[in-house]
Amino acid sequence: EDQVTQSPEALRLQEGESSSLNCSYTVSGLRGLFWYRQDPGKGPEFLFTLYSAGEEKEKERLKATLTKKESFLHITAPKPEDSATYLCAVNYGGSQGNLIFGKGTKLSVKP
Amino acid sequence: NAGVTQTPKFQVLKTGQSMTLQCAQDMNHEYMSWYRQDPGMGLRLIHYSVGAGITDQGEVPNGYNVSRSTTEDFPLRLLSAAPSQTSVYFCASSQQSSRNQPQHFGDGTRLSIL
């Protein structure tokens, strides 16, 4: 069964305290892994796409990496405005656009 | 830039009522989809479309209908609302290409069924 598991469910950090979020997946024939950020009351906002093991993408304080079984979202020196729920999604079967989502990691960064 | 627009933002229905959730995108994207988001669960795919006139079922299609008469619009219909359909509904769109392209989401419709 295709699955996406994110950990931890919630993460509390002090401003400047770096950490990583994990997304493990069991999907045959990965066609893309996506990271999104979701703020309360809003839709998911696209962050990164990763297509193959070894690939890395960076944006400001965020860096996403991909292996054959999991992806990490590294957050370096986070700020309070990085507080959000981070969602991981992978393509599964059928149409190339269909995604299976993890339940997300809720990140809180305290000043 | 409008992107993906969903209306209404909030709606309360009684069991058995019908309604249509609207979704429009102005990016000329071929692919459009509907997801629902429930507490403690990931977003789940309801229906999707790879182009005008083409629709297909996702993971949780029961109780929902869709149509795609234009590239821009992809409405979701609840024919007879049930309390189990209380959820937040998101519409998304993306380009079709040989590599998966990121989906762009609207800000959702929060639906309560009493």
Side-chain angles (χ1 to χ4, degrees):
Chain A
E1 180 184 351
D2 296 333
Q3 281 192 324
V4 177
T5 303
Q6 291 188 246
S7 62
E9 292 185 9
L11 181 62
R12 293 184 178 184
L13 299 174
Q14 288 296 125
E15 184 173 3
E17 179 186 4
S18 302
S19 188
S20 297
L21 282 56
N22 178 260
C23 172
S24 63
Y25 61 91
T26 54
V27 175
S28 57
L30 181 71
R31 299 174 68 177
L33 183 144
F34 301 83
W35 282 99
Y36 288 87
R37 168 189 171 130
Q38 186 174 25
D39 293 299
K42 297 291 187 180
E45 175 187 351
F46 170 71
L47 293 173
F48 303 109
T49 307
L50 301 167
Y51 291 107
S52 56
E55 191 173 358
E56 299 182 352
K57 295 277 182 69
E58 285 189 69
K59 179 180 179 181
E60 296 181 353
R61 295 176 293 280
L62 300 177
K63 179 180 179 180
T65 62
L66 180 65
T67 72
K68 289 185 177 180
K69 295 184 178 181
E70 58 190 350
S71 176
F72 291 94
L73 184 65
H74 306 279
I75 303 175
T76 302
K79 298 181 177 181
E81 53 261 42
D82 294 322
S83 297
T85 295
Y86 291 85
L87 305 175
C88 172
V90 300
N91 172 252
Y92 78 100
S95 170
Q96 66 170 342
N98 295 359
L99 300 176
I100 181 168
F101 278 83
K103 296 180 181 180
T105 293
K106 185 175 182 179
L107 174 66
S108 299
V109 182
K110 302 300 182 184
Chain B
N1 296 333
V4 178
T5 302
Q6 293 185 238
T7 56
K9 294 187 184 303
F10 302 93
Q11 184 70 47
V12 178
L13 293 177
K14 294 181 179 179
T15 297
Q17 286 185 317
S18 63
M19 82 160 294
T20 300
L21 280 62
Q22 301 291 344
C23 174
Q25 54 92 8
D26 61 359
M27 298 172 282
N28 201 34
H29 286 166
E30 299 95 337
Y31 181 92
M32 296 186 73
S33 57
W34 278 101
Y35 291 85
R36 60 178 290 173
Q37 187 174 41
D38 301 295
M41 302 187 73
L43 283 89
R44 292 180 292 169
L45 182 65
I46 304 172
H47 284 286
Y48 66 96
S49 168
V50 298
I54 305 170
T55 64
D56 207 343
Q57 297 180 350
E59 179 186 358
V60 288
N62 293 340
Y64 308 96
N65 282 345
V66 292
S67 60
R68 184 95 179 270
S69 57
T70 67
T71 299
E72 294 78 19
D73 300 300
F74 190 43
L76 179 71
R77 298 183 185 85
L78 284 71
L79 297 180
S80 180
S84 60
Q85 294 178 305
T86 293
S87 187
V88 182
Y89 292 86
F90 289 100
C91 179
S93 72
S94 68
Q95 291 179 322
Q96 288 281 89
S97 76
S98 58
R99 301 187 91 184
N100 273 7
Q101 298 300 312
Q103 295 191 36
H104 300 269
F105 285 80
D107 280 338
T109 294
R110 284 145 188 83
L111 182 63
S112 294
I113 314 296
L114 304 177

